[in-house]
Amino acid sequence: MTTEFPSTPTSDLWKPNRQRSQRVELIVKLIFGAFAFVSIVTTLGIIETLIFETFKFFQEVSLWQFLTDDKWTPLFKSAKFGIFVLISATVMTSTIAILVALPLGLLSAICLSEYATPKVRGILKPALEILAGVPTVVYGYFALLFVTPLLQKFVPGLQGFNALSAGMVLGIMITPLVASLSEDAIYSVPRSLRDGAYALGATKRETITSVVLPAALSGIVSSLILAISRAIGETMIVTLAAGQNPRLGLNPLVPVMTMTAFIVQVSLGDTPAGSLAYKTIYAVGMTLFTITLALNVFSFWFVRRFREKYE
Amino acid sequence: MTIDNPQNFGSDRPSEASNFNINLAGRYKLDRIFESLTWIAVAIALLVLATLIIDVLADGLPRLSWDFLNNFPSRKPEQAGLKSALFGTIWVMSVVAAVSFPLGVGAGIFLEEFAGDNWLTRIIEININNLAGVPSIIYGLLGLQVFVRYMEPLTGGRSILSGGFTLALLILPIIIVSTREALRAVPDSLRLAGFALGANRWQVVREHVFPLAIPGILTGTILALSRAIGDTAPLITIGALTFISFLPEGLQSPFTVLPIQVFNWVSRPQREFHDNAAAGIIVLMVVLLLMNATAVFLRNRFQKKAS
């Protein structure tokens, strides 16, 4: 159906140009759709790159060596590729980090959502979030040049580079993540559950520990897992403060080398593409990617499986 | 009817009457201890933040001067400065903003306004969630392979362009998510009014929805950019140099940025370089603070206009 317009001199201005606007819309839609596709391409790119170079790595080094060697010396003449040397360091720093972040983050979350008045909460929450916005290289500086000298006064035998202070500062870094995600979970527990507990004679602490926290458990656990995954992938703190000495074992007082620190060490040197060292950082990256991806997927699954739904 | 012991609440076993002991005073005492513990946890976190800031200021402030900002890096700590790192950061962040803003906002608009709820959008959504959890150093490995090696003729290898592209990919998920949230906050009645006037979807988005969503989008973008500015690991991986004594001449020139310069100074043994690092951290934190303040300012300003 065509629309009749009065034939005045300006009538052309009023004519709708549907075809043109539909064409424009289609073009915009295609372009923006392509933009949305960039995220898929990024993922594929990451996976392709890692698999491609890791595959070439395993043509020179056997998987058996990679998993069972007890030394990590890929840059030496007698190269050894025991990935568990690096994994042990990563596990150690992340464990220390979570030992710091779990009590700090969870208790802060409880404080913010249960005890603080809305006004105080409005001040404290952004203040805690500043901690999350501090660049990690700043934390590295703090760990190496403030926390380590401080700890050396109390902990005998603590070396200049060590997993302990790196892990503790890592824990401070992920505390806001734990706090804010756990707080969301705790906050969304409905009031009626709390009222029920009060009506049964429970005190506020009893209500929190035996009713609210169990109800928010899925959110809390998933926040912890995400925080662990963040700690495992963190680079600058452990590179600066934990050192560059690949060492198998769980002694937090001596220098160690995490997976991320190794990638940085190789990247700082001049590594020609195609060399074994170049392939090695991709093999290490692949290991790191697999571990963090598994943790993230597990966290999503956990929330879906165990979330308590209240209407 | 038996009265259950309130302390055994939740257990199936009926308690014996002799166990019945309310002990209110003791429980309230525990309550107070618990509450103080939660406050102590918050206090510790904030105390660490304060200590960090004071420590950096104490070490770095004496070193901060115009010369420090205007000198190139040097082997002599007292002559070393931030000039190349500052310019490098500005160059790289311009590339990051120019690439990630249109890509992220476009993708956000597509997912929120154009694409329906089908398997493709759901895959993209899950994918974006997963990408947000990938460690930043992995993006560095991607950038090293794709931008530095495969696209060398275009990017010039370990250049500003490669670094900018890598960081843009890193913050893309954040921008997409905040764009979608900003669009979702625009009431549907506006869209319906637009459709009722005969506008098609793109016209409605362009003229009505997008202008209202701009403050949210800008805030999210600036916060994402401030994350990119502080992120060091991917740039080290793609091979940003730590010692550059010239200004970048173009997009294909080698570069250094503030956090990498700080990293370099921290990892040197001499104490004087550590003070330089602290001064560099102050500059970096001031830049971050300014960006965050801009985000807050923009949000307030646009919010007033829209209402």
Side-chain angles (χ1 to χ4, degrees):
Chain A
M1 190 191 114
T2 53
T3 326
E4 291 296 326
F5 284 95
S7 54
T8 55
T10 55
S11 67
D12 275 354
L13 293 175
W14 291 94
K15 258 186 201 150
N17 196 340
R18 294 241 163 73
Q19 257 183 341
R20 187 169 155 268
S21 61
Q22 264 163 9
R23 219 168 30 236
V24 170
E25 188 188 44
L26 189 68
I27 292 171
V28 167
K29 205 171 157 179
L30 283 177
I31 293 176
F32 285 2
F35 287 178
F37 217 69
V38 168
S39 71
I40 300 252
V41 176
T42 309
T43 308
L44 293 179
I46 289 176
I47 294 172
E48 189 270 342
T49 311
L50 290 177
I51 289 182
F52 186 66
E53 291 291 329
T54 307
F55 183 74
K56 286 205 281 190
F57 171 79
F58 281 122
Q59 284 177 334
E60 293 183 43
V61 180
S62 73
L63 181 66
W64 181 248
Q65 258 188 302
F66 193 63
L67 293 178
T68 58
D69 268 355
D70 60 354
K71 286 207 171 55
W72 178 265
T73 53
L75 306 177
F76 291 0
K77 267 265 160 56
S78 60
K80 297 265 192 192
F81 297 91
I83 187 68
F84 278 103
V85 177
L86 302 185
I87 292 182
S88 76
T90 299
V91 166
M92 185 160 51
T93 52
S94 311
T95 309
I96 297 171
I98 213 66
L99 288 179
V100 171
L102 173 61
L104 275 188
L106 191 53
L107 285 173
S108 307
I110 293 172
C111 179
L112 287 179
S113 82
E114 302 292 319
Y115 288 113
T117 58
K119 207 173 160 188
V120 175
R121 181 170 178 268
I123 301 170
L124 288 182
K125 207 175 177 192
L128 278 181
E129 274 161 6
I130 297 178
L131 272 178
V134 173
T136 52
V137 70
V138 180
Y139 280 120
Y141 172 90
F142 186 63
L144 179 66
L145 299 173
F146 185 86
V147 177
T148 298
L150 188 72
L151 284 177
Q152 274 173 332
K153 288 181 191 150
F154 306 105
V155 186
L158 188 68
Q159 302 199 13
F161 296 105
N162 60 77
L164 183 62
S165 66
M168 284 172 68
V169 174
L170 205 52
I172 293 290
M173 186 200 89
I174 58 175
T175 294
L177 185 71
V178 177
S180 112
L181 291 180
S182 305
E183 202 223 333
D184 289 344
I186 293 173
Y187 203 72
S188 63
V189 174
R191 223 197 128 73
S192 56
L193 279 182
R194 296 185 176 87
D195 290 344
Y198 289 138
L200 288 169
T203 65
K204 189 157 189 173
R205 168 189 57 89
E206 287 160 354
T207 306
I208 294 170
T209 52
S210 53
V211 175
V212 178
L213 290 189
L217 192 65
S218 71
I220 293 172
V221 170
S222 90
S223 83
L224 274 180
I225 297 170
L226 285 182
I228 293 174
S229 142
R230 179 73 61 83
I232 288 175
E234 218 309 294
T235 311
M236 300 321 294
I237 300 176
V238 289
T239 307
L240 281 169
Q244 310 267 330
N245 299 43
R247 188 193 307 253
L248 190 63
L250 295 174
N251 180 0
L253 305 180
V254 295
V256 291
M257 181 188 247
T258 63
M259 291 187 274
T260 49
F262 170 73
I263 298 177
V264 168
Q265 187 202 32
V266 171
S267 306
L268 283 175
D270 191 26
T271 316
S275 65
L276 185 56
Y278 185 85
K279 291 169 199 157
T280 312
I281 60 176
Y282 281 89
V284 173
M286 184 76 194
T287 315
L288 184 65
F289 179 73
T290 314
I291 294 175
T292 52
L293 185 71
L295 284 173
N296 291 345
V297 170
F298 178 72
S299 153
F300 283 124
W301 173 81
F302 193 90
V303 173
R304 284 176 72 130
R305 174 74 180 73
F306 291 101
R307 182 163 51 196
E308 309 265 348
K309 277 200 180 127
Y310 306 102
E311 291 301 326
Chain B
M1 186 189 139
T2 56
I3 299 167
D4 272 355
N5 183 342
Q7 281 178 314
N8 282 353
F9 172 70
S11 72
D12 304 312
R13 241 174 291 154
S15 59
E16 291 167 29
S18 58
N19 282 344
F20 190 82
N21 179 12
I22 298 177
N23 188 17
L24 260 186
R27 283 158 65 200
Y28 275 135
K29 198 172 165 194
L30 275 179
D31 263 38
R32 276 196 300 279
I33 295 175
F34 183 73
E35 182 176 356
S36 350
L37 277 181
T38 65
W39 284 106
I40 289 173
V42 176
I44 289 178
L46 294 181
L47 197 70
V48 172
L49 178 65
T51 316
L52 190 155
I53 292 173
I54 292 171
D55 179 46
V56 167
L57 285 179
D59 292 347
L61 267 188
R63 190 64 191 81
L64 214 54
S65 66
W66 177 247
D67 281 347
F68 180 70
L69 294 179
N70 204 27
N71 279 2
F72 285 112
S74 160
R75 295 190 199 290
K76 293 181 193 140
E78 65 277 5
Q79 287 174 14
L82 275 181
K83 192 172 187 179
S84 50
L86 262 180
F87 277 81
T89 291
I90 294 171
W91 277 85
V92 171
M93 291 318 293
S94 312
V95 174
V96 174
V99 174
S100 66
F101 184 74
L103 275 184
V105 173
I109 290 178
F110 177 80
L111 290 174
E112 197 60 36
E113 302 286 340
F114 289 114
D117 188 25
N118 55 33
W119 62 273
L120 187 69
T121 49
R122 238 169 295 153
I123 285 182
I124 294 181
E125 204 161 315
I126 294 171
N127 178 47
I128 288 172
N129 282 335
N130 273 325
L131 275 182
V134 172
S136 62
I137 197 161
I138 300 288
Y139 283 92
L141 292 177
L142 172 75
L144 179 62
Q145 181 90 331
V146 174
F147 299 132
V148 176
R149 284 191 58 204
Y150 292 166
M151 290 167 58
E152 194 175 352
L154 172 70
T155 58
R158 299 164 192 265
S159 66
I160 289 173
L161 219 48
S162 300
F165 284 165
T166 308
L167 289 181
L169 288 186
L170 174 71
I171 63 169
L172 211 49
I174 312 178
I175 298 184
I176 294 178
V177 169
S178 60
T179 303
R180 297 190 64 178
E181 274 168 12
L183 290 173
R184 219 171 295 157
V186 176
D188 245 357
S189 54
L190 268 164
R191 296 186 181 86
L192 296 179
F195 294 142
L197 288 170
N200 64 21
R201 206 165 259 280
W202 167 238
Q203 289 167 328
V204 168
V205 170
R206 192 186 57 199
E207 300 294 336
H208 297 283
V209 181
F210 187 64
L212 278 180
I214 280 182
I217 294 175
L218 280 182
T219 312
T221 306
I222 293 178
L223 293 182
L225 286 178
S226 67
R227 168 151 183 227
I229 262 195
D231 219 324
T232 329
L235 292 184
I236 289 184
T237 314
I238 67 153
L241 296 174
T242 49
F243 193 90
I244 292 232
S245 53
F246 53 87
L247 290 182
E249 285 142 16
L251 290 173
Q252 296 193 338
S253 121
F255 69 105
T256 187
V257 290
L258 283 174
I260 289 187
Q261 188 63 59
V262 169
F263 168 73
N264 176 259
W265 281 334
V266 176
S267 49
R268 291 192 193 201
Q270 300 95 327
R271 208 194 129 69
E272 292 77 18
F273 277 117
H274 294 166
D275 291 344
N276 281 358
I281 288 174
I282 296 178
V283 175
L284 182 62
M285 299 280 262
V286 167
V287 173
L288 281 175
L289 209 62
L290 285 179
M291 289 179 69
N292 285 312
T294 318
V296 173
F297 172 76
L298 280 176
R299 188 169 48 188
N300 291 344
R301 200 188 137 100
F302 275 95
Q303 260 169 1
K304 262 182 218 143
K305 248 188 198 167
S307 64

